[in-house]
Amino acid sequence: MTEPTVSPPITLSIAAVERDTGLSKDTLRVWERRYGFPAPERDALGERAYPFRQVEKLRIVRRLLDAGHRPGRIVPLALESLRELAEQTVDQPPRAPAAVADDGAIGALLQLIRAHDVVGLRAALQRLLADAGLSRFAADVVSPLASAVGDAWMRGQMEVFEEHLFTEVAQNVLRHALVMLPPLAQGRPRVLLSTLPGEQHQLGLLMAEIVLALEGCHCVSLGAQTPPWDLVQAAVAVDADIVALSFTGAMGPNPIHDGLAELRAKLPPRVGLWAGGTVPVLQRRPIAGVEVFHGVEQVPAALRRWRGQV
Amino acid sequence: MTEPTVSPPITLSIAAVERDTGLSKDTLRVWERRYGFPAPERDALGERAYPFRQVEKLRIVRRLLDAGHRPGRIVPLALESLRELAEQTVDQPPRAPAAVADDGAIGALLQLIRAHDVVGLRAALQRLLADAGLSRFAADVVSPLASAVGDAWMRGQMEVFEEHLFTEVAQNVLRHALVMLPPLAQGRPRVLLSTLPGEQHQLGLLMAEIVLALEGCHCVSLGAQTPPWDLVQAAVAVDADIVALSFTGAMGPNPIHDGLAELRAKLPPRVGLWAGGTVPVLQRRPIAGVEVFHGVEQVPAALRRWRGQV
Amino acid sequence: MTEPTVSPPITLSIAAVERDTGLSKDTLRVWERRYGFPAPERDALGERAYPFRQVEKLRIVRRLLDAGHRPGRIVPLALESLRELAEQTVDQPPRAPAAVADDGAIGALLQLIRAHDVVGLRAALQRLLADAGLSRFAADVVSPLASAVGDAWMRGQMEVFEEHLFTEVAQNVLRHALVMLPPLAQGRPRVLLSTLPGEQHQLGLLMAEIVLALEGCHCVSLGAQTPPWDLVQAAVAVDADIVALSFTGAMGPNPIHDGLAELRAKLPPRVGLWAGGTVPVLQRRPIAGVEVFHGVEQVPAALRRWRGQV
DNA sequence: ATAGGTTTTGTCAAGCTTTTGTACAT
DNA sequence: ATGTACAAAAGCTTGACAAAACCTAT
């Protein structure tokens, strides 16, 4: 471990605050000039370092902004006034042996997507699922199919809406399967699943959830785009042993790396942090205390390791 | 820190009041001129600042308006008179079918969310679904629950991650039900469903899809955040008769209005455009060629109309 | 503040009364001229202002109208007379609670059976189930359909194997739904379900099991044709509070009567004995200690009674 | 039920100022 | 990182208007 033994006073970088609050860096700087808030300290390098309390206030400001308030009117208010205001404001109506699906099968599925045959696609997926079972279905069908769709889109051979269509049908089938799974006695580890802001894709998450549930874990999924600070709160609230995140490359290397590092720093040390997805940066720049997965098939082994340690 | 030590008395901006009460800014201003109420104070910049008590009264007025009263008769009344009036007035249309889930049931579900009991929440939802049937489940359980969660979040009584958690579980249950629905012979109309970029929430979409499917439509959902141009492409590709979009207010009035207008202009005229969601702008600024829905329960009637026309 | 300090007496505008009572504005005005009631006051602007007590009376009048009375005969009556009348009048089924399956739907299902279209029949049933929910599905679809099939068979319009085909498909759909129902924490009462030897039909049993499970009972079903003595043994073994039996008339009056009497004698007194089915003998010759049901819709009320007693 | 007259009421427009996020240049 | 410039968005006011609601009488 390379972590320092003494913790510096807790402050966030401007990028971290952007992720946390959804306020752009530009906005943060311009508010500082115009309203005198936030008033970040400066670190050794002269970069903005936002104390935690200010970030807290920024989060509330953000919520009130969404409710129709304007920055100039609320940014100068004291934290308590904001809390009170928030309470009074009501929102109106926010890879396995004997691959089940060889390239031919994937090709056939791609054809169905290109033909926009929703019914046929769903039927084909359900059929493969029933035949192969959940874990192999996730690993041998959905995973490669998602990659194939992504590739095709990159090459301009597939429209945006066709990718959406595929994602939607696949989600339906996977979530259906998830609900069909009989709930297991509340097992360990307890895993919290989500993606970071900026990462929309939930498919990887769903597959991970399925594999974990099959292995007897207690899963709590928060869907896509949960801000880091909320993840930390949630991890504590549901007593999670592991926080699992999924990435697809939609986020860019730096945000991924920084986001993970930030989250690792904020999470209690006893909570594991797992990151999955076929993104180069995950492999190239390992982060201390973050376990990286390149595919769902690695999950069972990691679980065995976890259970052995505890 | 430049924060003031004393908090000014708490007031809401006109935009905040609009979101809170559903009364348009224009209406608020014109009432002020005509009836002398509301009588907002002015802040240092001369902008209207509505004291909380007046907003409270406005909320009641709004309810009475829906019950058939007219502004001129009730706006000048004192708050107490309005309260009395509200109690005596039956605000539901003559005979509402016995709601499946009363406030108690919704409260119980909220408790499960706050307790982060994923398993219990799912079980409760499934049980209600099985008992009530899909359409009533969507209208009487999921819809009000989603509103309640939104409210609680606004008031700061619910964390972001708890909202995520609820959304995730509800999606699982709804998608599961959707898959269980046996596919009908390819019916008309063919409906393409999505949300515009900026609108993340899919729950409304899912409920719409379910109701439509029950009514015998052929549904193709693209999930959330499909850019307008891709929607047009998709509509042509899947030979859609109707494009249906869902909104929650996360987008802001103007983007919604402009997005709809743009889409309407680009779509072939023979393709209908339906927009649903509890957003003031949808009610206030009708767009030629866009049909607006305030709840899933309006869908069957609209479908009958469509089928009658064609 | 411009609010008046004294509240005027509370009255409703004509539109409010329309929404409240469901009587059209025109109707209200015409009654006023013809019968001298209602007799609204006038406000400063000459608009009708209905005192609350008159609205109260109008609500009752409306109810009586629905029950078949005619305006000219009841509008002139005093409020007390109306109250009396309302109590005497049997509450007409106000609005058939949206019968899910009307005769037409049942007819369509019969057609599918006659066409031996197993797939279509199952799809149709599942669709109705999803739409209506379990309890209404059992009461409004399966029950009448089973009767219709029985009738058709009696009249020689349906073959034996067609009846079997129907039974099989319906059982599959119901059993599936039962499995999907998330199990509740082991509730009371504990109910043991079966039929007596000679009674093969399980459909009624299944429907009863579903309704009971929905109401939170713990159900143990033994399938068809369990001999009385084994039933007694089973009741003790599973600690049952109630033994529920289903009949269809395949057994003949005497065996039914004697079987029930024998069972009642052998069962511990604290165990309830419930018998359901559309068989004349159940109604004609009541047996001490045996509760008789003519349809699944009676079950919830009986359960409430049971829970009240214990 | 329909027709015709009056009042009520929400929305829109024009012309203006202030606020606010982003883009660009330093 | 900072500062400037700019366009979009949001506010405000006055005035006008058309749709909706209400009334009476036929």
Side-chain angles (χ1 to χ4, degrees):
Chain A
M1 284 265 196
T2 60
E3 297 188 7
T5 45
V6 283
S7 314
I10 296 184
T11 58
L12 305 198
S13 73
I14 192 169
V17 175
E18 176 179 24
R19 260 199 310 276
D20 236 39
T21 61
L23 300 165
S24 83
K25 291 175 202 159
D26 285 319
T27 304
L28 288 168
R29 283 192 279 255
V30 103
W31 281 7
E32 183 179 336
R33 184 151 36 105
R34 288 186 186 149
Y35 315 120
F37 181 90
E41 302 157 15
R42 298 297 173 135
D43 64 9
L45 300 150
E47 300 198 347
R48 284 172 174 76
Y50 293 84
F52 184 67
R53 265 191 68 85
Q54 296 195 19
V55 180
E56 220 173 341
K57 176 170 163 186
L58 284 172
R59 262 197 289 270
I60 299 187
V61 167
R62 173 59 202 252
R63 283 225 308 261
L64 291 170
L65 237 52
D66 290 341
H69 291 269
R70 293 172 67 189
R73 311 258 304 109
I74 54 171
V75 170
L77 293 181
L79 187 52
E80 286 70 33
S81 309
L82 290 176
R83 285 238 170 79
E84 215 172 320
L85 194 54
E87 277 187 24
Q88 292 175 354
T89 304
V90 181
D91 189 15
Q92 189 67 356
R95 203 68 46 142
V100 170
D102 49 12
D103 291 351
I106 297 292
L109 292 169
L110 282 176
Q111 285 302 325
L112 287 170
I113 296 172
R114 288 216 184 80
H116 318 130
D117 181 356
V118 185
V119 175
L121 178 61
R122 182 158 78 193
L125 286 177
Q126 281 196 279
R127 194 161 270 280
L128 283 166
L129 167 59
D131 188 19
L134 261 177
S135 30
R136 278 197 296 161
F137 176 70
D140 295 348
V141 180
V142 181
S143 244
L145 186 53
S147 302
V149 168
D151 281 3
W153 177 75
M154 286 284 273
R155 291 197 206 105
Q157 294 164 353
M158 189 162 278
E159 300 295 333
V160 170
F161 80 87
E162 291 171 325
E163 197 203 345
H164 278 226
L165 190 148
F166 154 68
T167 307
E168 194 64 12
V169 174
Q171 265 198 47
N172 276 340
V173 172
L174 288 176
R175 289 185 127 112
H176 169 71
L178 203 52
V179 171
M180 301 283 292
L181 269 183
L184 207 57
Q186 314 267 327
R188 289 276 163 170
R190 299 168 68 86
V191 185
L192 184 72
L193 299 107
S194 188
T195 74
L196 292 183
E199 176 58 69
Q200 275 207 333
H201 296 82
Q202 294 194 328
L203 226 41
L205 215 55
L206 270 172
M207 289 191 285
E209 184 175 356
I210 282 177
V211 173
L212 288 164
L214 280 173
E215 296 282 336
C217 303
H218 180 78
C219 293
V220 180
S221 175
L222 300 182
Q225 314 207 62
T226 310
W229 193 78
D230 294 289
L231 273 173
V232 174
Q233 265 193 302
V236 174
V238 307
D239 182 27
D241 301 304
I242 293 167
V243 172
L245 300 176
S246 159
F247 297 89
T248 64
M251 264 179 81
N254 283 348
I256 293 181
H257 188 269
D258 296 352
L260 281 171
E262 180 197 347
L263 195 56
R264 176 67 281 177
K266 286 186 188 159
L267 276 176
R270 60 156 205 85
V271 179
L273 182 52
W274 291 10
T278 46
V279 192
V281 70
L282 286 177
Q283 310 170 38
R284 265 207 316 269
R285 296 168 61 190
I287 303 170
V290 179
E291 191 151 355
V292 172
F293 297 78
H294 308 310
V296 277
E297 62 278 0
Q298 298 180 321
V299 170
L303 268 179
R304 271 193 299 281
R305 243 175 294 138
W306 186 91
R307 285 182 169 134
Q309 280 179 4
V310 178
Chain B
M1 281 263 196
T2 61
E3 299 191 8
T5 44
V6 283
S7 311
I10 290 178
T11 57
L12 304 199
S13 73
I14 193 170
V17 175
E18 177 180 22
R19 299 219 177 181
D20 233 43
T21 61
L23 300 165
S24 84
K25 290 175 221 197
D26 282 320
T27 303
L28 288 169
R29 285 192 276 253
V30 99
W31 281 8
E32 184 179 336
R33 191 168 13 141
R34 289 188 184 145
Y35 315 119
F37 182 91
E41 302 157 15
R42 298 296 175 134
D43 64 9
L45 301 147
E47 300 195 351
R48 286 171 175 77
Y50 294 84
F52 184 66
R53 266 191 68 85
Q54 297 194 20
V55 180
E56 224 173 337
K57 177 170 163 186
L58 285 172
R59 264 198 287 266
I60 299 188
V61 167
R62 172 59 203 251
R63 280 229 313 273
L64 290 170
L65 237 51
D66 290 341
H69 291 270
R70 292 172 67 190
R73 310 253 307 111
I74 54 171
V75 169
L77 293 181
L79 187 52
E80 286 69 34
S81 309
L82 291 177
R83 286 239 170 79
E84 210 174 324
L85 194 54
E87 277 186 25
Q88 292 177 354
T89 303
V90 182
D91 67 346
Q92 276 298 338
R95 240 178 249 129
V100 170
D102 48 10
D103 290 352
I106 298 290
L109 292 169
L110 280 175
Q111 285 302 327
L112 288 170
I113 296 173
R114 288 218 183 80
H116 317 130
D117 181 357
V118 185
V119 175
L121 179 60
R122 183 158 74 198
L125 287 177
Q126 278 196 279
R127 193 161 267 277
L128 282 166
L129 168 59
D131 191 13
L134 266 174
S135 20
R136 281 196 296 162
F137 178 69
D140 295 348
V141 180
V142 181
S143 252
L145 187 54
S147 301
V149 168
D151 279 3
W153 176 76
M154 244 309 156
R155 294 202 200 99
Q157 294 165 353
M158 188 162 278
E159 300 295 333
V160 170
F161 81 88
E162 292 171 323
E163 197 203 347
H164 278 225
L165 190 149
F166 153 68
T167 307
E168 195 65 13
V169 173
Q171 267 198 47
N172 276 340
V173 172
L174 288 175
R175 290 187 126 112
H176 167 70
L178 203 53
V179 171
M180 300 288 298
L181 213 58
L184 205 58
Q186 312 270 325
R188 288 276 162 169
R190 300 168 66 88
V191 184
L192 186 71
L193 298 107
S194 188
T195 74
L196 292 183
E199 177 59 70
Q200 273 206 335
H201 296 83
Q202 295 196 336
L203 269 183
L205 215 56
L206 268 172
M207 288 191 283
E209 185 175 356
I210 281 176
V211 173
L212 288 165
L214 279 174
E215 296 282 335
C217 303
H218 180 79
C219 293
V220 180
S221 175
L222 300 182
Q225 314 207 60
T226 310
W229 174 240
D230 294 287
L231 272 175
V232 174
Q233 268 191 301
V236 174
V238 306
D239 182 27
D241 299 304
I242 292 167
V243 172
L245 301 177
S246 160
F247 297 90
T248 64
M251 267 180 80
N254 280 353
I256 293 180
H257 189 269
D258 297 352
L260 280 171
E262 180 193 351
L263 196 55
R264 176 67 280 178
K266 287 185 183 156
L267 276 176
R270 61 157 206 85
V271 178
L273 182 51
W274 291 8
T278 46
V279 192
V281 70
L282 286 177
Q283 310 171 35
R284 261 208 324 276
R285 296 168 60 188
I287 304 171
V290 179
E291 191 151 357
V292 172
F293 296 78
H294 309 310
V296 277
E297 61 278 3
Q298 297 181 322
V299 170
L303 269 178
R304 271 193 298 281
R305 246 176 292 140
W306 188 92
R307 284 180 171 136
Q309 280 180 3
V310 177
Chain C
M1 282 265 196
T2 62
E3 299 191 7
T5 45
V6 284
S7 314
I10 292 184
T11 57
L12 304 199
S13 72
I14 193 170
V17 175
E18 178 182 28
R19 300 221 180 179
D20 211 312
T21 61
L23 299 165
S24 86
K25 291 174 216 191
D26 288 319
T27 305
L28 288 169
R29 284 193 276 254
V30 138
W31 281 7
E32 182 179 338
R33 186 152 38 115
R34 290 196 188 133
Y35 315 120
F37 182 89
E41 301 157 16
R42 296 297 175 133
D43 64 8
L45 300 147
E47 299 195 351
R48 278 167 245 266
Y50 294 83
F52 183 65
R53 271 192 65 86
Q54 297 193 19
V55 179
E56 229 173 334
K57 176 169 164 186
L58 284 171
R59 268 200 284 262
I60 300 186
V61 168
R62 172 61 204 249
R63 279 230 312 274
L64 291 169
L65 235 53
D66 288 343
H69 292 271
R70 292 172 56 190
R73 320 271 296 135
I74 54 172
V75 170
L77 294 180
L79 188 52
E80 285 68 36
S81 314
L82 290 176
R83 285 238 170 79
E84 216 172 316
L85 194 55
E87 280 186 22
Q88 292 172 359
T89 305
V90 180
D91 208 7
Q92 201 72 343
R95 210 197 273 154
V100 169
D102 47 10
D103 291 351
I106 298 291
L109 292 169
L110 281 175
Q111 285 302 326
L112 287 170
I113 297 172
R114 288 217 184 81
H116 315 134
D117 181 356
V118 184
V119 176
L121 179 61
R122 182 159 64 202
L125 287 177
Q126 279 195 283
R127 191 161 268 275
L128 282 165
L129 168 59
D131 191 12
L134 266 173
S135 22
R136 279 197 297 164
F137 179 70
D140 295 351
V141 180
V142 180
S143 248
L145 187 54
S147 302
V149 168
D151 282 2
W153 176 76
M154 288 282 275
R155 289 198 208 104
Q157 294 164 352
M158 188 163 279
E159 301 295 331
V160 171
F161 83 89
E162 289 171 326
E163 195 202 344
H164 280 221
L165 185 148
F166 154 68
T167 309
E168 197 63 18
V169 173
Q171 271 195 35
N172 274 341
V173 171
L174 287 174
R175 288 208 149 95
H176 177 72
L178 203 52
V179 171
M180 300 293 298
L181 209 60
L184 206 58
Q186 311 271 325
R188 288 275 160 170
R190 302 170 64 89
V191 186
L192 186 70
L193 299 107
S194 187
T195 73
L196 292 182
E199 176 59 70
Q200 280 202 333
H201 295 81
Q202 299 196 348
L203 221 42
L205 216 55
L206 262 174
M207 286 190 286
E209 185 175 354
I210 281 176
V211 174
L212 288 164
L214 278 175
E215 296 283 336
C217 303
H218 181 80
C219 293
V220 181
S221 176
L222 300 181
Q225 312 206 60
T226 311
W229 176 241
D230 295 290
L231 270 175
V232 174
Q233 275 191 299
V236 174
V238 306
D239 182 27
D241 301 303
I242 292 167
V243 172
L245 300 176
S246 160
F247 299 91
T248 63
M251 268 179 78
N254 283 349
I256 292 180
H257 189 269
D258 298 352
L260 280 171
E262 181 194 350
L263 197 54
R264 177 66 282 178
K266 287 185 182 159
L267 274 176
R270 63 155 203 86
V271 178
L273 183 51
W274 290 10
T278 47
V279 193
V281 71
L282 285 176
Q283 309 170 38
R284 265 207 315 271
R285 296 167 60 189
I287 304 170
V290 179
E291 191 150 357
V292 172
F293 296 79
H294 308 310
V296 278
E297 61 279 2
Q298 297 180 323
V299 170
L303 269 178
R304 270 192 300 280
R305 244 175 295 140
W306 187 91
R307 285 179 170 139
Q309 280 180 5
V310 178

